Structure formats: structure tokens, C-alpha cells
Amino acid sequence: MALSRLERAQAWLLTALMGVLFALFRLLSPRRPDTRKLPPVSSPLLTLSATQLAQKIRRRELSSVEVVQAYIDRIQEVNPLLNAVVKDRFAAALQEAAQVDKLIEEETGGEEVLEDRLPLLGVPLSVKEAVALQGMPQTTGLLSRRGVLSTVDAPPVALLKRAGAIPLGVTNTSELCMWLESHNHLCGITNNPYDLERIPGGSSGGEGSILGGAGAVIGIGTDIGGSIRLPCFFNGVFGHKTTPGVVSNENQYPPTSGRQDDYLSTGPMCRYAEDLVPMLKIMAGPNAHMLSLSTRVDLKKVRFFTVPHDGGSPLTSPINKQLIQIQRKVVERLEADLGVQVQEVAFPGLRYSFQIWDTYMGLPDKEGKPPQQFAELMGEPGRPVWPLWELVKWMMGKSEHTMAAIGLALVEMAHVSKPSPFVLQQKEKLQKEVEELLGTDGVLLYPTHPNLLPKHHHPLFRPFDFAYTGIMNILGLPATQCPLGLSEEGFPMGLQVVAGKLQDRLPLAVALYLEKTFGGWRDPGAN
């Protein structure tokens, strides 16, 4: 059974609508070329992982003030080009770093005591603006939320601070965190460190950009359709979408509704793979035991599978040839280095990834209450916006909202009230097939995105390419985005490594191997 004529027509109309919106955007919002380049990293402190920095701080080989100041200097150097950090707390961070140095000076229990109690003591941290950091803005780019400050720390932030990490500020997002470009009318547009003309991804794009630009070493992101993995892919860094329900999603804006909390994951983003597990152990808090992160993984005993594409969905772009080649190279290296056999498999249901994501994001909760409409969120604290009127206002330069947000609200108007039985069936079939294949010892290599670095606003024309990541949210599977060097154009390449539920340690172990084999993060200033 295939999609019905109505569903095929709906898919065609959605693509056509986005094409029209993109054409309007290019006509009415011309953008001047930006040929500036990011300066190369000059401080050796910026090339150390958070794990290494914490160790050197504990051993008094470095002071926390030195490290924090080095990152402040780097942010001040690159942020005018990137627009990634939208609000800093540099003065408070330096005071906290001085207190860390004093604590270490007075500590009598030795390095081991500090490592056990405060594993990230003195290490700088960046935070996605959608995640509450006390005293910092939490607007997600809505002009109507200008001046809204967080009164508490979100649980993962509080846990990282309790482990000794020092927040430097909050980073930009897409409007209401529902687009793969970090652009809004309150904080502006964030650029990619490898090419300022191109996107950093979204919605955790500010995090991805400042990490890729070496203005941060570790950060916090959230992911409901790829919002950790896509920015990490576009900015050449590591990011992990956790198994849902392990890391708390509390104190985020916008709040989830319907069944969306089942698909949202809060997780670590970092430049160095060795920081993923320590961060996740801390962020998971009392649930960390669910993931057995301290259990050693022998990659030679892991079963590997590769899926090169989604099977030919008419809604997504064909996979870039260089991304196909690099995934093949990963397979070759795994087989040569580990002596494993990587089996290529196909799942017909992946062809319907967007339809599955879109359908399940709109399902009601257990009490039958549907999710809050995007137009309502756009209009808060007042009445819902009227998307067609907002489009007219945008064409006259009078709308407070981005074209991406208006487009999403327009797409929402086209939704059918009853979910397609075919789509529901495809999801259940895909869930069963993937879970049975992976079990507790299998990992799957899958593209993070079909394209290399898109130019600003170009995703408006190919809005469904995020389905490569979004489907893993609906399936509830952990996935780690891993950088794999640079393309011929100097753009980051990568793929996501997926495992069965609660088997997060498997893709995290593969990330360490891939970093060692392919070199991990590359300095964009040296490109």
C-alpha cells in the first residue's frame, strides 16, 4: 500500500508552498555577500578537551581564570562574525573561575577527591538560549518575549554547574526552536564558522556555531527533529541525541505538548568526543545508571549496519556524492581496523520519514489533548497569529516573525485532522524492523543530512531534508553525530551513529573511534 492520492497531493503542495515562500524571500530580502573569514585559533588552551582542561585545572597546571579568559577572548574575537552568543555573563564567569582557583588552592583531599566531586571544575560551558540558565534571557527569538529572563536553571544546567562547569552565556536559536536555521528578529541570524554565507543549522545553531568556531568546548543542546545533530553536522563537531526520558527536558521554552516530550532529547554538544560520556553522565543525574555508561564497549563485538539513504523519498534531496563516499570510507575503515563485517541494509519505511515525524508530532497526549498550535506560540502572550496575514505583513516588512516561522504556521493549516492509517502503520513496521535488527549490540550508520552546508535561507526550498534526523526522534533511538573531515569545498562532513534504546554507550564509543580515525573537529580559521 502506498500513500493515497490526497497524501501525495498534500506533499506536493507543501513542497510547492515552500518554493514560493523561498522565491518571495529572495526577492524581498536580498542579502549582501559576506566574504570575511574566521581567524585561526591562536591559544593552545582552545585545543584541549574539557576533560583535559579539568584535569590540568585540578593539577594546578592551568588556572580556571586562564581558561575562562581564553574562551572569553575567543568569543569576543569570533562572535562579531558569527552572532552565536546572544547574551554573555563574562564578569560573573571570571568571578566564579577565581573562586574555583581558590577552592583548588585550599583543597587538602587531593586531585582524586576533586575529580570525583567536581569532574568539570573550572571548565567553561555554553548553553542554548531555549534552556533555562538563571539570570539569562529565554526568548527563543520571539520579540514578544524580549526581556524575559530565566529565574531558575534547567536540571541539566544545574547538574553541570554542580559538577563545576562555568557558563559563559547563552546562544542563538531559530524562532521558537522549530527550524534548521538559527534566525529570528530579536537576535538576528547566526553564521557558520566555515563560511559566513552558510547556515549553522538549528535550532541549536548558536551552540553549533560557537563550538565549531572554538568559542566553546562543551555546550547543551536540545533535539526534537535533529536540533543537536544538524548543527553539529554543519559545524563539524560532536553531538548526542539521548534516549528520551533519561535527561530532563524541564524548564525549556517553548514547552512540549501533545506527545512531544516523548521525542525531545536534551544532550551534550562538544568539539571533542571524549567529553560526550562525562557530560552525559552528569546531565542524566539520577537516571545515568539506565545507560550503563561506565561499561566498556568492545567495538570488535558490536554488530555494524549501514543505510546509505532513505530509499528515495520525493520530499528529500538526493544524498551528496561526497557524503556517500565518506560513509563508504567509514565502512571500509571499520572492516579493516576492527575486523568486523558492516552489512548494508534498507528499510522501506524510511521513505516516509517526514510524514511519520509530522504525524506523530501532532498526536494528542494520553488525555487526548492535542499539541499547542505553532500559530498560538507565535502569538503569545496574546492571541494566535493569522499566518496568511503575517505573510502579507512580512511582504511589507511589518511582521515580527521570520519567513520560516510563517511558513511552518501555513503548513500547519494544511494538516488533516485525522492521522493517516498508512503512516501510522509504516511507523510501527519501521520501529519493529529497526529494533529487531539493532538489539542491544548493534549500531547503524545513517546520513545526518543529505546536503553539505546550505547557504542562508536555502532550506526554505528543501524544508524536509531534516527527516534524516527527525525519524530517529520518533523512533526514540539514541544517535551520535560524528564529524568526518572536510569536503572538497572545505565544508564539514559527518554521519549519525544510531543504536537501540538505552544503548547510548555504543554510538558514543564509535564516536571516539571515528574521531581518532578521521581527525574530528578542524579549525575553520585554518581552512
Side-chain angles (χ1 to χ4, degrees), residues 127-241:
V127 180
K128 182 179 183 177
E129 199 247 25
V131 181
L133 172 60
Q134 190 173 25
M136 290 284 104
Q138 193 181 26
T139 65
T140 58
L142 273 186
L143 285 169
S144 61
R145 285 180 63 83
R146 187 196 300 271
V148 174
L149 302 179
S150 300
T151 57
V152 297
D153 288 325
V157 174
L159 289 164
L160 286 167
K161 287 170 69 174
R162 202 176 303 160
I166 298 176
L168 297 183
V170 292
T171 54
N172 204 19
T173 71
S174 53
E175 184 174 350
L176 287 166
C177 293
M178 286 300 286
W179 188 239
L180 69 158
E181 172 146 30
S182 292
H183 173 218
N184 58 72
H185 289 330
L186 181 59
C187 302
I189 192 165
T190 298
N191 300 319
N192 189 287
Y194 291 87
D195 185 335
L196 303 182
E197 284 283 287
R198 296 176 185 268
I199 71 169
S203 60
S204 310
E207 274 302 297
S209 177
I210 203 62
L211 283 162
V217 65
I218 55 173
I220 300 176
T222 62
D223 190 316
I224 201 168
S227 290
I228 286 174
R229 288 160 290 158
L230 288 169
C232 289
F233 171 76
F234 292 132
N235 295 282
V237 297
F238 293 89
H240 182 67
K241 184 201 89 65

Side-chain angles (χ1 to χ4, degrees), residues 87-110:
K87 182 67 175 177
D88 68 69
R89 56 186 303 278
F90 293 160
L94 284 170
Q95 288 180 354
E96 291 162 9
Q99 292 170 359
V100 165
D101 292 334
K102 184 179 179 182
L103 171 67
I104 293 172
E105 191 69 31
E106 296 173 351
E107 176 60 46
T108 58

Side-chain angles (χ1 to χ4, degrees), residues 12 89 109 159 166 236 340 356 391 427:
W12 182 89
R89 56 186 303 278
L159 289 164
I166 298 176
V340 298
I356 292 170
L391 179 59
K427 186 268 181 184

Side-chain angles (χ1 to χ4, degrees), residues 374-508:
F374 194 70
E376 292 178 17
L377 288 168
M378 290 172 68
E380 286 192 346
R383 304 167 77 177
V385 302
W386 185 29
L388 289 172
W389 177 234
E390 282 301 321
L391 179 59
V392 173
K393 287 165 62 179
W394 181 88
M395 294 172 66
M396 297 186 294
K398 301 294 185 183
S399 178
E400 294 186 348
H401 303 285
T402 60
M403 174 57 80
I406 294 168
L408 183 55
L410 287 168
V411 167
E412 196 175 61
M413 293 174 62
H415 277 176
V416 293
S417 57
K418 189 176 180 181
S420 160
F422 172 74
V423 172
L424 297 176
Q425 179 189 34
Q426 287 298 316
K427 186 268 181 184
E428 292 305 316
K429 183 171 181 261
L430 179 62
Q431 185 95 52
K432 182 181 179 185
E433 290 173 346
V434 174
E435 289 186 353
E436 286 182 353
L437 179 76
L438 294 178
T440 59
D441 62 348
V443 297
L444 184 72
L445 310 178
Y446 193 54
T448 305
H449 192 266
N451 291 317
L452 294 170
L453 217 45
K455 288 188 175 181
H456 281 299
H457 309 302
H458 279 220
L460 286 168
F461 189 59
R462 300 299 304 183
F464 310 118
D465 285 343
F466 78 94
Y468 273 86
T469 49
I471 188 62
M472 302 306 166
N473 294 82
I474 304 305
L475 297 178
L477 303 177
T480 307
Q481 145 60 30
C482 303
L484 297 172
L486 303 179
S487 70
E488 295 171 359
E489 302 88 346
F491 301 153
M493 298 189 292
L495 54 70
Q496 56 182 327
V497 184
V498 183
K501 293 179 181 179
L502 300 175
Q503 309 305 316
D504 299 53
R505 67 189 184 281
L506 300 181
L508 294 172

Side-chain angles (χ1 to χ4, degrees), residues 239-482:
H240 182 67
K241 184 201 89 65
T242 56
T243 297
V246 176
V247 177
S248 171
N249 295 325
E250 292 179 20
N251 302 117
Q252 296 183 21
Y253 193 86
T256 55
S257 55
R259 295 191 196 176
Q260 292 166 2
D261 200 57
D262 294 340
Y263 315 131
L264 175 65
S265 294
T266 302
M269 301 171 65
C270 47
R271 267 188 292 136
Y272 300 103
E274 73 170 332
D275 294 330
L276 288 167
V277 168
M279 281 191 74
L280 185 52
K281 281 182 179 179
I282 295 165
M283 294 172 71
N287 292 332
H289 70 278
M290 297 169 63
L291 302 180
S292 305
L293 293 172
S294 297
T295 302
R296 182 180 172 275
V297 175
D298 183 352
L299 291 181
K300 293 182 178 181
K301 295 181 180 178
V302 173
R303 294 180 301 117
F304 287 89
F305 304 94
T306 182
V307 179
H309 52 74
D310 66 3
S313 167
L315 296 178
T316 57
S317 302
I319 299 288
N320 179 278
K321 289 181 180 179
Q322 292 185 73
L323 294 175
I324 293 174
Q325 291 167 357
I326 197 67
Q327 187 162 331
R328 285 177 182 160
K329 192 170 183 180
V330 170
V331 170
E332 292 169 1
R333 290 301 304 266
L334 285 167
E335 292 183 336
D337 296 347
L338 303 178
V340 298
Q341 182 178 0
V342 183
Q343 181 182 350
E344 183 171 323
V345 293
F347 298 103
L350 288 174
R351 238 181 129 248
Y352 309 104
S353 292
F354 171 74
Q355 292 92 330
I356 292 170
W357 182 88
D358 186 53
T359 297
Y360 277 75
M361 283 287 289
L363 293 180
D365 62 20
K366 294 177 182 177
E367 283 72 45
K369 186 177 180 181
Q372 187 174 12
Q373 294 289 296
F374 194 70
E376 292 178 17
L377 288 168
M378 290 172 68
E380 286 192 346
R383 304 167 77 177
V385 302
W386 185 29
L388 289 172
W389 177 234
E390 282 301 321
L391 179 59
V392 173
K393 287 165 62 179
W394 181 88
M395 294 172 66
M396 297 186 294
K398 301 294 185 183
S399 178
E400 294 186 348
H401 303 285
T402 60
M403 174 57 80
I406 294 168
L408 183 55
L410 287 168
V411 167
E412 196 175 61
M413 293 174 62
H415 277 176
V416 293
S417 57
K418 189 176 180 181
S420 160
F422 172 74
V423 172
L424 297 176
Q425 179 189 34
Q426 287 298 316
K427 186 268 181 184
E428 292 305 316
K429 183 171 181 261
L430 179 62
Q431 185 95 52
K432 182 181 179 185
E433 290 173 346
V434 174
E435 289 186 353
E436 286 182 353
L437 179 76
L438 294 178
T440 59
D441 62 348
V443 297
L444 184 72
L445 310 178
Y446 193 54
T448 305
H449 192 266
N451 291 317
L452 294 170
L453 217 45
K455 288 188 175 181
H456 281 299
H457 309 302
H458 279 220
L460 286 168
F461 189 59
R462 300 299 304 183
F464 310 118
D465 285 343
F466 78 94
Y468 273 86
T469 49
I471 188 62
M472 302 306 166
N473 294 82
I474 304 305
L475 297 178
L477 303 177
T480 307
Q481 145 60 30
C482 303

